[in-house]
Amino acid sequence: MHIDAPPAQIKVPQITVLDAGGQYCHLIARKVRDLGVYAEVRPSETPAGELARRKGLIISGGPSSVYDSRSPTVDPRIFADANAVLGICYGQQLMAHLLGGVVQKGDKGEYGLATLDLNGGPKTPLFAGLPSDSRSG
């Protein structure tokens, strides 16, 4: 007697890293997996519908400018979903640009260590417990 096994359940990643051309995209996904969270890497242009049921998205960095029409982008519908979205470097600039913000060139490029200065900014839970300025990198 032959019994068909139920189809294997396809596990949906909890976090998807959207690759915007940065060299650290796969490292970001690996670090997330090291924390015990199922993560995958997908192209930045992946349609929002294919990213359903994720707990969060990370838009990676990259060498591009948000004002170059040939630069990587994301489906803007990802911001309308209930997912948390984190942008790193270019990813953060892309988020600001697509959500109506202005991205301006800084006085100098930032590579490696940088200083985060909250400058008395918003008192939100996101910044709770952080000093008013700190080093990152």
Side-chain angles (χ1 to χ4, degrees):
M1 176 177 194
H2 176 71
I3 299 176
D4 289 329
Q9 288 195 353
I10 298 173
K11 190 171 182 182
V12 175
Q14 293 174 297
I15 301 292
T16 295
V17 180
L18 297 174
D19 185 357
Q23 62 184 355
Y24 296 108
C25 182
H26 290 276
L27 176 62
I28 294 166
R30 192 188 92 220
K31 292 295 186 180
V32 171
R33 288 194 289 281
D34 286 350
L35 295 170
V37 177
Y38 181 36
E40 70 170 357
V41 174
R42 301 280 299 268
S44 65
E45 291 85 2
T46 301
E50 293 180 22
L51 301 170
R53 299 179 28 214
R54 303 310 194 268
K55 301 243 188 250
L57 304 171
I58 300 173
I59 306 170
S60 76
S64 301
S65 164
V66 296
Y67 295 112
D68 183 345
S69 63
R70 297 166 296 173
S71 293
T73 191
V74 296
D75 182 341
R77 294 176 299 165
I78 67 171
F79 303 116
D81 294 339
N83 297 329
V85 181
L86 169 67
I88 299 176
C89 297
Y90 172 78
Q92 178 62 45
Q93 294 174 14
L94 182 60
M95 286 176 59
H97 179 68
L98 293 175
L99 294 170
V102 176
V103 177
Q104 297 178 326
K105 185 169 179 63
D107 294 333
K108 61 180 182 169
E110 292 186 24
Y111 303 96
L113 291 177
T115 301
L116 169 66
D117 184 358
L118 297 179
N119 208 20
K123 306 293 185 213
T124 68
L126 178 64
F127 301 124
L130 289 179
S132 62
D133 65 334
S134 61
R135 304 262 316 168
S136 66

